[in-house]
């Protein structure tokens, strides 16, 4: 090993030092139990499906919640004297309706069928409900019918195309903001007519969106990429700016910050925008590991740590590694943050995997104050909570798990300081919900459902030694946009959705012809103790159920691009034949990089190619355009194409 390589290996380990404080003692889960023990023991049964009383109202919160309306999978609306919780149920392809009446009871009402999988919903002050529909590529507006019982009917529909994912209303209620996860765009719709008012390109993998209090800006969270997009509205077309979202390490500033990933939501708290996420350190991808994915796993330290980034209206403030709410408590227990709401003083974050919602103090107005006071209490909830809503009238936060089919009421006034008899750092005791209602039976316990739970389960020693879940790297079944050091060399995380069936062999090196064998090797590298044969079969059933994302591209270009792709001039289709877009062979395309053990690589499928940047096994090309420009000769022939032909070819690849 050369001196330079030794320095590279040492540098790959430096990111660990910023996280060592999180590993000084065994992390504890609810009740002071070690997280490994909690993950290993059987999970408790979900709450029984029975109406439950809701605690009486308490004094108002210390800080008023933001009046802004951002989408989630649960929304509260008024129907006369009754508050209704509307729940996006993607499994049932419907909205569930739960009445929270003045008698203090919760009861399920008939659902509202949608005919497609809902993403988020948001309600206007007038009671109009907007719902994004994943597989329909549309947004619908629902309004209350006259008479009784409560019923919603569709009054408007906008075909947005792609995958409408995040929704929000501007403060004046005139514009509905929609993130399109497939097209990587923010779409503006007139809130009354649902006619489009603008469409702008933003960074990849957009999720939640929220508007600023004055309506001049929108903030978009992105599941991967370590960025937030700020969209500014003015007299002309909206202007976009992509800003890095990173963890600043004060102890080793010269090594650079860590990207904040798994950022699904942005919320407004006073003058701040709060973005929960996970800071991830991969290590030096050019230095081969002994047997793991990432240098962190080799020392059995966390591969990521929970953080809350703060944005001002006009600036992004990097998050210091010692200034994060609940860092010691949540580093291993919230590796998949999926939803968040705030009452102005507290931030509530829903964590996928082991069911919990974190309550984090964000009341201090200055950084020093937040470092001194910020910490958290976790609530125990069913697995799979993906939506939260603040109920200021009842002093509750409602948490909805579409996987479990349960709506839980979390008391906002649970003791949260040692003086109140609450829980201090390092020894949490998870308060149970004040009420829980099973609005439908859990997803049938078939192989796909069991595999879904395995895929998203964090803190499972059968899968990994550091708490990572499959979904930690394969976000929503796709990928994290990162390149990791491995025993074979640098490897970019590949997409799984729609790319596994009929595409063997597996892995960038194409070394394993059976998916079961590839999973076994992957878990071994993650330090997991291993799955049983039955568990592995369940996981495979879930993986094969994932469909490729909806590709989007200008139709006028796609037909011409298809002709270019199939032509003998480019030879693209020689290795990427139609159907699965892979010849299932290994080739030397002159792409061997520093750290690679071999030069042969498996031909990847191109399904969903427009959503999987960066490109090549080591992520060397940031965009499809760069790949088509620079990979000529070694992989197909594209340098001779005109600018129009190359644009058409790129459009065709984005449509797959």
């Amino acid at each position: 090993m050369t001196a330079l390589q030794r320095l590279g290996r040492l540098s790959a380990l430096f990111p660990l030092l910023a996280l060592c404080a999180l590993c000084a003692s065994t992390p504890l889960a609810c009740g002071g139990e070690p997280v490994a023990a909690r993950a290993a023991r059987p999970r408790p049964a979900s709450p029984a499906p029975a109406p439950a009383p809701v605690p009486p109202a308490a004094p108002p919160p210390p800080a008023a919640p933001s009046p802004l309306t951002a989408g989630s999978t649960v929304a509260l609306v008024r129907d006369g004297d009754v508050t209704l919780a509307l729940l996006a149920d993607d499994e049932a392809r419907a909205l569930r309706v739960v009445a929270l009446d003045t008698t203090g009871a919760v009861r399920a009402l008939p659902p509202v069928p949608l005919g497609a999988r809902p993403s988020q919903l948001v309600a206007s002050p007038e009671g109009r409900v907007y719902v994004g529909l994943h597989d329909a590529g549309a947004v619908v507006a629902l309004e209350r019918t006259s008479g009784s019982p409560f019923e919603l009917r569709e009054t408007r529909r906008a075909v947005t195309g792609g995958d409408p994912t995040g929704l929000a209303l501007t403060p004046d209620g005139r514009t509905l903001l929609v993130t399109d996860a497939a097209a990587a765009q923010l779409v503006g719709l007139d809130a009354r007519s649902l006619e489009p008012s603008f469409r702008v390109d933003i960074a990849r993998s957009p999720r939640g969106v929220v508007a600023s209090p004055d309506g001049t800006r929108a903030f978009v969270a992105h599941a991967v990429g370590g960025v937030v997009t700020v969209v500014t509205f003015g007299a002309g077309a909206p202007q976009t700016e992509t800003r890095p979202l990173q963890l600043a390490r004060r102890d080793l500033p010269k090594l650079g910050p860590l990207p904040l990933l798994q950022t699904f939501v942005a919320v407004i708290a006073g003058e701040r925008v709060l973005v929960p996420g996970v800071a991830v350190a991969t290590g030096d991808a050019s230095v081969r590991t002994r047997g793991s994915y990432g240098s962190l796993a080799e020392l059995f330290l966390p591969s990521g740590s929970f953080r809350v980034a703060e944005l001002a209206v006009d600036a992004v403030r990097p998050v210091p590694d010692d200034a994060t709410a609940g860092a010691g408590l949540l580093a291993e227990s919230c590796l998949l943050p999926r939803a968040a709401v705030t009452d102005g003083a507290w931030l509530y974050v829903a964590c996928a995997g082991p069911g919990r919602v974190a309550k984090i103090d964000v009341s201090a107005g200055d950084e020093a104050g937040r470092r001194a006071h910020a910490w958290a209490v976790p609530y125990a909830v069913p697995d799979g909570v993906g939506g939260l809503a603040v109920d200021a009238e009842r002093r509750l936060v409602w948490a909805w798990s579409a996987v479990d089919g349960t709506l839980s009421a979390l008391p906002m006034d649970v003791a949260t300081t040692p003086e109140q008899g609450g829980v201090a750092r390092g020894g949490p005791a998870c308060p149970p919900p004040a009420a829980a209602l099973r609005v439908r039976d859990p997803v049938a316990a078939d192989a796909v459902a069991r595999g879904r739970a395995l895929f998203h389960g964090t803190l499972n020693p059968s899968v990994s030694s550091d708490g990572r879940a499959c979904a930690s790297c394969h976000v929503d079944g796709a990928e994290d946009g990162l390149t990791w050091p491995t025993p074979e060399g640098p490897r970019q995380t590949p997409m799984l959705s729609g790319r596994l069936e009929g595409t063997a062999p597996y892995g960038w090196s194409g070394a394993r012809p059976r998916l079961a064998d590839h999973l076994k090797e992957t878990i071994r590298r993650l330090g997991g103790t291993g799955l049983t044969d039955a568990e592995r079969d369940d996981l495979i059933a879930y993986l094969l159920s994932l469909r490729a994302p909806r590709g989007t591209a200008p139709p006028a270009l796609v037909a011409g691009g298809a002709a270019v792709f199939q032509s003998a001039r480019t030879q693209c289709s020689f290795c990427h034949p139609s159907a699965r877009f892979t010849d299932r062979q290994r080739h030397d395309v002159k792409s061997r990089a520093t750290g690679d053990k071999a030069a042969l690589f498996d031909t990847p499928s191109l399904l969903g190619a427009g959503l999987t940047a960066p490109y090549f096994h080591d992520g060397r090309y940031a965009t499809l355009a760069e790949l088509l420009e620079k990979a000529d000769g070694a992989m197909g022939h594209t340098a001779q194409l005109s600018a129009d032909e190359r644009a058409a070819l790129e459009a065709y690849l984005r449509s797959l």
Side-chain angles (χ1 to χ4, degrees), residues 73-77 84-88 95-97 121 129 150 152:
T73 60
V74 55
L76 303 182
V77 298
L84 300 175
L86 305 181
L87 315 171
L95 285 188
R96 299 286 179 173
V97 184
L121 66 150
V129 179
F150 177 83
L152 291 172

Side-chain angles (χ1 to χ4, degrees), residues 53-55 76 100 106 348 389-398 408-413 434-435:
V54 175
L76 303 182
L100 318 172
V106 290
Y348 300 83
V390 171
D391 186 347
E393 177 184 356
R394 294 167 179 77
R395 301 294 296 150
L396 294 170
V397 172
W398 295 95
S408 302
L410 311 180
M412 296 168 64
D413 297 317

Side-chain angles (χ1 to χ4, degrees), residues 396-430:
L396 294 170
V397 172
W398 295 95
W400 164 238
S401 170
V403 174
D404 188 79
T406 297
L407 178 66
S408 302
L410 311 180
M412 296 168 64
D413 297 317
V414 65
T416 51
T417 69
E419 292 77 14
Q420 294 175 285
V423 183
R425 292 182 190 262
C430 297

Side-chain angles (χ1 to χ4, degrees), residues 502-503 562 565-566 572-584 605-607 652 656:
T503 62
F565 183 87
Q566 298 291 341
C572 300
S573 61
F574 290 13
C575 295
H576 298 279
S578 56
R580 309 308 298 170
F581 292 94
T582 173
D583 62 1
R584 303 171 58 176
S605 171
L606 297 181
L607 293 174
Y652 174 69
L656 300 179

Side-chain angles (χ1 to χ4, degrees), residues 108-127:
L109 301 180
V112 179
L114 297 172
R117 293 174 48 242
S119 53
Q120 285 192 350
L121 66 150
V122 65
S124 71
E126 298 79 24

